[in-house]
Amino acid sequence: MGEDSSGTAFDALAWFMNVSTSVLIVFVNKLLMDAKHGYAFTFATTLCAFHFLSAAACVKLSQLLGWTQSAHMPWRVVMYFAVVADVSIASLNLSLLVNSVGFYQVAKLLIIPFVCVVELLYMRKRFSAPVVASIAVVIMGVAIVTVTDVTITPAGLLVAALSVVSSGMQQILCGSIQRQHKLQSHQLLANTAPIQGGMLLLLGPFIDKLVSGSWVGRYTLTTPGLACLMASCAISVAVNISQFMCLGRFSAVTFQVLGHTKTVLVLLTSWWVLHEPMSPRKAMGMMLAVAGMVAYGYFNSSSGSSSNSSSSSSSSSLDKLAAKERSAEQLPLFNRSANSSQDLPTVVTASQVMGSAGVEKRLTAVPSSGSLAKSGSLTTINVVAR
């Protein structure tokens, strides 16, 4: 009973931490990247590199001070994960460059069905009809809120497809690697974040030049701008830690579906605090998305309890959902040793999230006016400068 209560508490803590920090970083980065009312740091990919390196430094420091334990990963796995995660970040930024904002949002929503297909085919996970219907309702609601004009080009379609596949795989691998190698979130982050940050620091300026039209080296950094940049990096550490915690405890599908609570909260906060207009279409889309998320949580947890008779009837829906998804099978890629009988750990601590600081939040600035949007992947936060 005590272990169940502890697991539920960690689930709730991880989700609350991820939602709150994700919403907060959207507005901090909006201030940092907004050319009109902020500090015009429109270099999203380079900013992601700073986020990864900040997370890596914090995790390494905690290990040196003895607050957390270190763990080593196979070099092949580290490089594979880092490359997939960095391709996800770069392709999301390039997708916004070559596609309309509407098609960019459509591509982000397609991450959910992609992850479902991967989990169905390779992880042998089954989705009940009510769960599939609730996922469809969430996608429809978010689409109503975020999708406007949709223009498709061959190059844009290719980049968008790459962003969907890489973003979905990054989220699946995040949880799979943690369970396969029995890592905590901070240990995964400590192994992968330095590599990801280094790669993005080399490639970021060139991608940012394509997207924003200017070089990061020519940016004039002021004291207030530096303070805002440091605040963004500090918050990103918590964002990445909590994201890795969530991906270690829940499935990538659940992270994507319930992650759209952040989209709704960002829009509500913008309307309430910043007095941005709230059209009937946005309000209807948000209500539809919230209804779909509530239905998903209910039907998914009900499915988990029916398939696991040992679950206590007094367990909360969140606990049942986490218990079900922690038992998901590994991706074949990491099951090289068929004779290995390592059991998957069911507890992931807060430090685990730091494993890939960049997944967590990816920010994209758009020179023209647009809207502020947040995808549930991976965390990916997209800030469109107004």
Side-chain angles (χ1 to χ4, degrees), residues 39-56:
Y39 301 105
F41 189 85
T42 57
F43 311 102
T45 310
T46 302
L47 181 61
C48 290
F50 293 159
H51 286 175
F52 274 115
L53 295 175
S54 298

Side-chain angles (χ1 to χ4, degrees), residues 286-342:
M286 286 191 292
M287 288 189 290
L288 195 61
V290 170
M293 286 182 279
V294 171
Y296 175 84
Y298 174 77
F299 289 120
N300 205 4
S301 62
S302 298
S303 175
S305 61
S306 63
S307 64
N308 186 2
S309 60
S310 63
S311 298
S312 171
S313 60
S314 61
S315 298
S316 66
S317 296
L318 184 61
D319 187 41
K320 293 175 185 176
L321 179 59
K324 175 193 173 188
E325 292 176 339
R326 290 190 197 108
S327 64
E329 294 184 23
Q330 307 300 303
L331 281 175
L333 175 65
F334 298 107
N335 289 328
R336 301 285 188 184
S337 55
N339 297 327
S340 174
S341 60
Q342 290 181 338

